[in-house]
Amino acid sequence: IPVPSDSSHVMYVWIDALANYLTGQGYPSTSNSWPADVHVVGKDILRFHAVYWPAFLMAAGLELPKTIFAHGWWTNEGEKISKSKGNVISPFDLIEKYGVDQTRFFMASEVTFGSDGDFDHTQMVRKCNAALANGYGNLVQRVCSMVVKNFEAKIPEPGEFEEEDRKLLEIGYGLIEETKGEVEAFKIHKYCEKLVRAVSAGNQYIDEQAPWTLRKTDMARCATVLYVEMEFLRCLSIAFQPVMPASSEKILDQLAVGGEKRSFEYVGD
């Protein structure tokens, strides 16, 4: 907009808009959390946030964001999303149709964060069924139902661990360390990918150990196998919380994990 006293100069309107990042937190009258550790913006407004905004902050003697990260755009089954085409994807419709956690998981896992991604209803159903319903959910159901039926809904007392037990426990205990680098590099889809890979390891273990057979021949070994799976699921569900908070909370409730022991620091032996 023109400077009132000198029409040959203009004031960039973004200075007002960008300053909201500070004033929205109460700056300067109250303490605030600036500078941002990560400032996430859309790629179409990267220039304003990576060039003008830092210039404004430096001119005011204020700290810059520690990181600026630009996310990409979504297309709808290969087509650019626009109001004129009538193919806008409503998050509220997705939540109503698929659920909040399922929508979060698909969005987080389907595309490389920072690149453009394509939304496809068929792919969403396929991915959620394979990774969540048939993978994660099925594993939880099998383990918990066996514990309820055979151990009075109490965590079984384990015996001596065998090599396969230790391997699965190592996967569970190492999840946070294994995935930390992906989060720090904003590779959220890789974070999800490693969690899904862990789910596969849990299902492979229970298929190979077959506690439904052990309960007829060796209850002590059956107890150990189910204990290992419950401990593994405890770690896995804590790691799943950022992606699927509501579902993870329900599973951790089933596993009798106290609310005060659900942070990442408790993923370990």
Side-chain angles (χ1 to χ4, degrees):
I1 58 175
V3 174
S5 59
D6 188 346
S7 59
S8 65
H9 292 276
V10 295
M11 292 184 292
Y12 213 82
V13 294
W14 273 87
I15 194 169
D16 275 347
L18 293 166
N20 283 320
Y21 293 124
L22 295 172
T23 58
Q25 303 177 66
Y27 181 89
S29 59
T30 60
S31 60
N32 62 88
S33 56
W34 190 264
D37 290 320
V38 183
H39 198 154
V40 181
V41 300
K43 69 176 184 179
D44 53 325
I45 53 174
L46 178 60
R47 175 163 57 102
F48 306 104
H49 289 79
V51 178
Y52 303 139
W53 180 224
F56 298 157
L57 290 169
M58 287 189 287
L62 298 173
E63 292 184 78
L64 307 185
K66 297 176 184 178
T67 303
I68 298 175
F69 192 91
H71 64 75
W73 294 332
W74 282 89
T75 55
N76 188 347
E77 299 184 0
E79 291 191 344
K80 183 178 179 181
I81 295 175
S82 68
K83 292 182 180 178
S84 60
K85 289 186 177 182
N87 65 345
V88 174
I89 301 171
S90 166
F92 299 105
D93 292 342
L94 294 180
I95 290 169
E96 184 177 352
K97 186 173 183 177
Y98 301 112
V100 176
D101 277 4
Q102 292 83 345
T103 301
R104 286 172 62 110
F105 172 78
F106 182 77
M107 294 297 190
S109 64
E110 182 63 12
V111 66
T112 301
F113 194 47
S115 302
D116 292 344
D118 186 55
F119 180 86
D120 184 284
H121 284 278
T122 301
Q123 174 63 5
M124 182 167 185
V125 171
R126 184 185 299 117
K127 189 161 196 171
C128 288
N129 281 343
L132 304 182
N134 300 333
Y136 189 25
N138 184 48
L139 179 60
V140 172
Q141 192 277 331
R142 289 199 288 176
V143 172
C144 290
S145 64
M146 283 208 68
V147 171
V148 169
K149 293 176 182 178
N150 298 282
F151 294 93
E152 299 179 344
K154 298 177 182 178
I155 298 175
E157 189 69 31
E160 186 175 347
F161 293 142
E162 296 181 2
E163 181 180 357
E164 293 305 312
D165 306 331
R166 289 190 290 270
K167 283 182 179 179
L168 188 65
L169 289 172
E170 285 174 6
I171 293 173
Y173 293 149
L175 270 174
I176 301 305
E177 193 63 32
E178 173 70 16
T179 56
K180 181 172 64 174
E182 312 297 358
V183 175
E184 292 173 347
F186 309 107
K187 296 179 180 179
I188 309 303
H189 66 297
K190 289 290 186 182
Y191 180 85
C192 296
E193 184 180 300
K194 289 185 175 181
L195 294 184
V196 172
R197 197 180 303 157
V199 169
S200 297
N203 274 306
Q204 181 180 349
Y205 171 85
I206 199 170
D207 287 341
E208 292 175 350
Q209 299 302 317
W212 45 87
T213 300
L214 288 172
R215 73 181 183 85
K216 303 174 184 177
T217 59
D218 190 342
M219 280 299 287
R221 178 60 189 159
C222 180
T224 300
V225 168
L226 291 175
Y227 171 86
V228 169
E229 277 286 15
M230 291 191 75
E231 181 67 352
F232 169 75
L233 283 171
R234 179 186 69 82
C235 298
L236 180 63
S237 298
I238 290 174
F240 251 118
Q241 287 179 113
V243 184
M244 301 196 305
S247 300
S248 299
E249 181 180 6
K250 292 177 182 178
I251 293 171
L252 289 167
D253 285 344
Q254 291 183 60
L255 298 173
V257 178
E260 75 284 358
K261 294 185 178 181
R262 298 185 180 186
S263 59
F264 282 2
E265 65 183 298
Y266 289 100
V267 176
D269 55 358

